[in-house]
Amino acid sequence: MAVELIEDGISAVLTWLRENLPAEVAAVNARHAGDGLGIVIAAPEEHSYSTEEWDNQVLPPLPAIGVLGDTSRLISDSNGYLRTGHDIMVVVVDGDADKNLLRRKLYRHVEAIVHCLLASSLADSGFTFYWPEDGVYARYDAIAIIDETYFTDGQVYLTVQTEGTHGS
């Protein structure tokens, strides 16, 4: 049952990002427009969102977003009522010929994702979303080179609490 509920949480996050991330990407670009760097990030194309990990040799059009389940916990189970917590990782992958600009682009993608997920309307999905106790946790991986282009990813971690009935 916990696995089924994490799938629902992942689907809710994926749907929310598909519908709301483009507007947040535009807002991030507007906030940084006067910084003199000329960096403009793009929102992922519809088929660049996934719930699976990618092979580095077969990436979708970039930037790409992956919503992946990590750890699931049973919080309570009483009289057919189940409450679970799930750690979910949102991964953004991008590439650029300039590795310094790439790192900045990743920071901005993560900024857009965090602002998008912090929106209170996400609670309308029927799930409770919250950040880990130690705050917003983002991690950036090392930059890889594939065919003279630099690639890297950033991850944002959140926890989804789901409730539902089981048995019957």
Side-chain angles (χ1 to χ4, degrees), residues 19-159:
E19 293 173 357
N20 298 286
L21 188 58
E24 197 55 56
V25 164
V28 165
N29 285 331
R31 276 194 294 277
H32 295 285
D35 66 8
L37 296 174
I39 299 171
V40 177
I41 60 171
E45 297 177 15
E46 178 61 30
H47 56 281
S48 291
Y49 289 88
S50 179
T51 58
E52 300 173 7
E53 295 183 49
W54 303 285
D55 178 332
N56 283 343
Q57 302 298 321
V58 188
L59 289 170
L62 300 177
I65 298 284
V67 180
L68 308 170
D70 191 16
T71 306
S72 292
R73 299 171 294 297
L74 177 64
I75 297 171
S76 66
D77 182 7
S78 176
N79 299 323
Y81 181 77
L82 184 69
R83 196 169 63 159
T84 57
H86 310 285
D87 297 328
I88 292 178
M89 176 175 56
V90 178
V91 180
V92 57
V93 179
D94 207 346
D96 199 291
D98 183 320
K99 67 180 177 182
N100 294 318
L101 289 180
L102 175 59
R103 183 67 70 185
R104 293 258 189 167
K105 285 170 62 175
L106 255 293
Y107 296 153
R108 293 179 189 193
H109 282 298
V110 168
E111 178 184 343
I113 290 167
V114 168
H115 281 277
C116 185
L117 293 173
L118 283 174
S120 60
S121 302
L122 185 54
D124 294 341
S125 65
F127 297 95
T128 304
F129 292 82
Y130 57 94
W131 298 103
E133 289 180 13
D134 53 352
V136 173
Y137 176 46
R139 188 181 89 192
Y140 303 90
D141 278 346
I143 294 175
I145 303 172
I146 302 171
D147 296 330
E148 298 181 15
T149 300
Y150 296 102
F151 294 91
T152 191
D153 62 71
Q155 304 96 38
V156 178
Y157 297 86
L158 68 150
T159 301

